Amino acid sequence: MQLPGILAEEFARDHGGTPLAVVRALYPLEGGMGEAYAATAPDRLVVFSRKLSGSWRSFVFPFAEVERLTLLADGSFCQLDVDSTRRRAALKFSGWDRPVLDRLATAWAAATGRSVRVGRDAGRAVPLTPLTLFCAVLHAATRLDANPSVPEELFLARAITDAQAVQEGLAYLEQHGPDETVAVARDRLNPDQQWCALANVIAMGMADGKLTSEEQDFLESLRTEWRISQEDYDHIVQVLYCKNNLAVFMPADGQVAAEALEGFYAALLAMSQADEQAGECELAMIRSLAAGADPVEAAQRVLDAGGVDGLLARLPELLTPEQSCCLYANLLGIAMTDGVLRSREQALLARVREALRLAEETVELLHTTLFRQHNLAVLAPG
């Protein structure tokens, strides 16, 4: 394994040359969601760690200051405990990483003349639940790119608010690999759970604005392995493409349809405020759609000037049919963020449907598909 480019450059600059060994941890050094890498030079251990969507931080452990190095293993997982004069660190790895960790520990032992403590970790096995498998499949999808995009990481964090479940899904994937994970999901997830997982993998793949050929191949393997019909698959792709295709706001001449886009964000903000308070999650979703400046302030000015009534009166003349469909799909996404479609949100959706004169069959397809994607209650055990 090699360090990602930016980290490899930092290591070469600050620690000299290429690492003797590199291994990726399951969790960041600070705990929670994110990633970390451990790399060794002849006289030090360097840990690069970052929380989800955060910046990389480096932690240097000179071997001369490391008083004790402990390697715990239980077959499925390994844990490296580093006790130095300045700080203590504990990093957890897949059991597959044991050979690299042995090389890392050997480098420390050779430099210090001390013995590595080796033992067994009493950590529990990863629980095999529908939610664990769901998270493991989504993690497998992020591995299709050498470096998962920020939109994909944010999608995973918003889709699953249970940080422990996200970590257990990653641990399960590290232990069993993508092929076995998909096969187990075939046997252990029911059709509704598989449909929900497939829809979320597609949605996550589209979060960065495109489906790569690798992502398309992976999606097709899920569809065939889980025996999901081509018609259902095509409907999911159609709806999520409609929702994510903000290119409809950039006509053929390449100029952004500024007023239409302003109305789009104002409508989304109105939906986020439908229950009288815009939550941070809804605002983050709105901001994640914008490629440039933060759209929330401008959207609020539109609502302050004419209110929701004024906005709804203007939308039909601002939006094309494709833009209207994109708007309605994103309104549903905002409304379903917390898993509950409240009465005020339903009322605003009805007013938007009437104002935009959306076809009944289009509305039904959008509602059905996006509800099944967001309905993670189907993953509850039993």
Side-chain angles (χ1 to χ4, degrees):
M1 175 178 287
Q2 296 180 339
L3 289 169
I6 187 173
L7 302 184
E9 293 175 4
E10 180 178 338
F11 189 95
R13 182 187 69 239
D14 297 342
H15 309 291
T18 303
L20 301 177
V22 177
V23 60
R24 184 180 182 182
L26 296 178
Y27 317 122
L29 190 62
E30 306 93 324
M33 294 174 58
E35 57 184 327
Y37 290 87
T40 54
D43 63 346
R44 74 196 69 177
L45 169 69
V46 182
V47 177
F48 297 99
S49 179
R50 69 172 178 178
K51 301 278 281 185
L52 181 65
S53 303
S55 300
W56 285 105
R57 299 176 62 194
S58 61
F59 302 85
V60 181
F61 298 86
F63 284 159
E65 297 179 7
V66 176
E67 298 174 335
R68 184 168 61 242
L69 198 70
T70 305
L71 183 58
L72 304 172
D74 68 354
S76 300
F77 301 101
C78 295
Q79 180 169 310
L80 184 69
D81 290 340
V82 183
D83 292 287
S84 79
T85 55
R86 287 189 288 180
R87 64 168 64 91
R88 183 180 185 278
L91 289 166
K92 200 158 190 176
F93 303 87
S94 165
W96 296 343
D97 295 321
R98 178 64 186 270
V100 183
L101 292 170
D102 284 340
R103 292 204 303 273
L104 184 155
T106 299
W108 172 79
T112 62
R114 297 175 179 173
S115 299
V116 178
R117 296 178 61 188
V118 179
R120 293 184 62 82
D121 185 10
R124 61 186 176 87
V126 178
L128 185 58
T129 67
L131 186 56
T132 298
L133 284 171
F134 175 90
C135 293
V137 171
L138 263 66
H139 278 300
T142 67
R143 297 288 180 86
L144 299 173
D145 297 325
N147 295 300
S149 69
V150 171
E152 288 176 338
E153 292 180 337
L154 289 175
F155 178 92
L156 184 59
R158 286 197 299 263
I160 303 295
T161 57
D162 184 341
Q164 181 177 346
V166 174
Q167 292 178 350
E168 288 175 344
L170 176 59
Y172 187 90
L173 176 67
E174 294 282 356
Q175 180 178 347
H176 297 278
D179 293 340
E180 183 177 341
T181 297
V182 171
V184 171
R186 176 197 61 205
D187 299 330
R188 301 293 292 267
L189 297 184
N190 65 41
D192 286 336
Q193 292 165 343
Q194 292 171 350
W195 199 103
C196 180
L198 178 64
N200 277 279
V201 173
I202 295 172
M204 185 173 68
M206 289 184 174
D208 58 4
K210 61 184 183 300
L211 279 178
T212 65
S213 58
E214 291 83 1
E215 289 169 335
Q216 292 178 43
D217 291 343
F218 181 68
L219 290 168
E220 179 60 21
S221 71
L222 293 183
R223 187 193 71 77
T224 54
E225 185 80 13
W226 296 347
R227 299 182 179 87
I228 294 174
S229 72
Q230 186 68 53
E231 182 181 18
D232 274 0
Y233 177 82
D234 290 343
H235 282 162
I236 298 171
V237 172
Q238 178 185 350
V239 168
L240 292 175
Y241 180 77
C242 169
K243 179 175 181 289
N244 289 280
N245 184 27
L246 297 189
V248 296
F249 290 95
M250 185 174 290
D253 61 7
Q255 297 298 313
V256 175
E259 283 193 291
L261 200 56
E262 190 176 71
F264 171 83
Y265 286 119
L268 296 184
L269 185 61
M271 177 58 73
S272 74
Q273 297 171 348
D275 55 1
E276 298 185 340
Q277 186 174 3
E280 283 303 317
C281 188
E282 289 94 338
L283 293 177
M285 286 184 67
I286 295 172
R287 292 185 173 108
S288 70
L289 296 172
D294 186 341
V296 172
E297 185 176 340
Q300 187 62 61
R301 287 198 296 269
V302 172
L303 294 178
D304 289 343
V308 174
D309 291 341
L311 175 63
L312 292 178
R314 293 181 59 216
L315 282 180
E317 64 187 47
L318 290 177
L319 303 182
T320 66
E322 292 81 8
Q323 293 167 348
S324 296
C325 184
C326 180
L327 169 61
Y328 193 78
N330 279 279
L331 287 173
L332 281 168
I334 294 290
M336 292 179 180
T337 299
D338 56 5
V340 180
L341 200 54
R342 293 181 171 81
S343 58
R344 292 187 180 183
E345 293 168 333
Q346 294 181 43
L348 180 54
L349 285 168
R351 294 183 66 192
V352 172
R353 285 199 303 271
E354 182 179 354
L356 297 179
R357 298 180 181 179
L358 293 173
E360 194 170 312
E361 58 271 21
T362 299
V363 171
E364 182 178 356
L365 180 60
L366 292 174
H367 270 265
T368 301
T369 303
L370 292 174
F371 175 78
R372 292 186 71 184
Q373 179 211 334
H374 287 270
N375 184 27
L376 301 189
V378 299
L379 300 170

